[in-house]
Structures are given as structure tokens and as C-alpha cells.
Amino acid sequence: MQSGGSGGGLSSDINVTPMIDVLLVLLIIFMAALPLTQRGVDVNLPLESEQKQQANPNDNQVVLEYNADNSIAVNHQPIQIADLETKLRDIFETRKEKTMFIVGDPTLRYGQIVQVIDAAKGAGVDKVGIVTMGMRNEANGGGKS
């Protein structure tokens, strides 16, 4: 009896077939268990209502309009950018809801809008919403289908 050599004796090579079988079984277990561990994000959606929202802002809303000629108006009252923070502080001083909407001309640069947002935040405004052109078209009934 000879060990090794060409006579079909013992071999020192590693048999990888059992390791591949174990690997495939583990892969199938993880693939089957993965969907059970995924969780979604809870989202609170508003209830559906049949009524359309009014196009005109009500008295509680503060709307700042920034036109292409760099003129600013707060609730249709013209104001200079230098006086904006003081005016907004006076408006929001006694309000509980400190939300403001900015209607900006599409030709304005974003930096100009950020300047207005900074003034609003400095005046104590909690939430600032930007009204886009698409929102205006939809509110006026001109939305695309």
C-alpha cells in the first residue's frame, strides 16, 4: 500500500462542495428572512375632502410676494427689503401660528429668496412655505391634466 502517488490513494486537496452547500442554504435562509425584518415608515395623511381649498388666502395667512423688479409686498402692502425683518417681527409678535408663504417670481435667483427666508427666520417665523408656479396654476384652475 502506498499513500499518494498515481495509484488513487489519499488526496490533500480540500473538498469545497460541502462548504458551497452550506453557503447556499445560508443564502436562502437570509433571502427568506429579509422581507420579515423590513419595516415601513408611519405616515399621517390628511383625510380626503370633497371641498376645494380657497384660492384666496384667508386673513390668518401671511403671504410675501417677491416680484421680478425686486419689489416686495407683505399681504399686498409694499415694503423695502431693509425693513422686512422688522415688519415681519411686528406681524408675528402676537400670532400663535407663525407660518408665512413666499410667492416668488420664477426669474428670481434662489439667493434672493434665501435672503427673504433668513429675514423671516430672524423675525421668529417657524414655518416658511414657497409657492411654486405649478401651485399657482393649479389654484387658478389652469393645472395640466
Side-chain angles (χ1 to χ4, degrees):
M1 251 194 197
Q2 293 180 338
S3 62
S6 62
L10 297 175
S11 174
S12 64
D13 291 339
I14 297 175
N15 190 2
V16 294
T17 305
M19 287 194 293
I20 292 174
D21 290 342
V22 170
L23 180 68
L24 290 175
V25 169
L26 288 174
L27 181 64
I28 290 171
I29 289 171
F30 282 120
M31 286 174 53
L34 185 63
L36 299 176
T37 61
Q38 291 179 345
R39 294 189 179 172
V41 176
D42 294 333
V43 177
N44 293 328
L45 296 175
L47 297 174
E48 185 175 336
S49 65
E50 296 293 325
Q51 301 173 2
K52 288 277 188 181
Q53 293 182 356
Q54 297 176 352
N56 297 332
N58 58 16
D59 295 335
N60 294 334
Q61 293 180 341
V62 176
V63 179
L64 184 139
E65 297 172 17
Y66 202 160
N67 299 317
D69 59 353
N70 292 332
S71 64
I72 297 176
V74 177
N75 289 344
H76 302 292
Q77 296 176 354
I79 190 168
Q80 297 296 321
I81 188 116
D83 303 327
L84 180 62
E85 188 172 340
T86 308
K87 174 74 173 174
L88 291 176
R89 188 173 286 123
D90 291 341
I91 291 172
F92 286 105
E93 189 172 52
T94 58
R95 291 179 182 251
K96 264 181 133 176
E97 185 178 320
K98 298 182 186 252
T99 303
M100 181 181 81
F101 296 98
I102 299 174
V103 178
D105 192 87
T107 60
L108 290 173
R109 305 190 114 230
Y110 187 68
Q112 294 170 299
I113 299 295
V114 169
Q115 192 176 20
V116 172
I117 293 172
D118 287 343
K121 290 293 183 178
V125 178
D126 292 332
K127 296 179 186 174
V128 177
I130 298 177
V131 180
T132 63
M133 196 65 151
M135 291 175 174
R136 280 191 263 173
N137 289 341
E138 187 175 314
N140 293 331
K144 295 179 182 175
S145 299

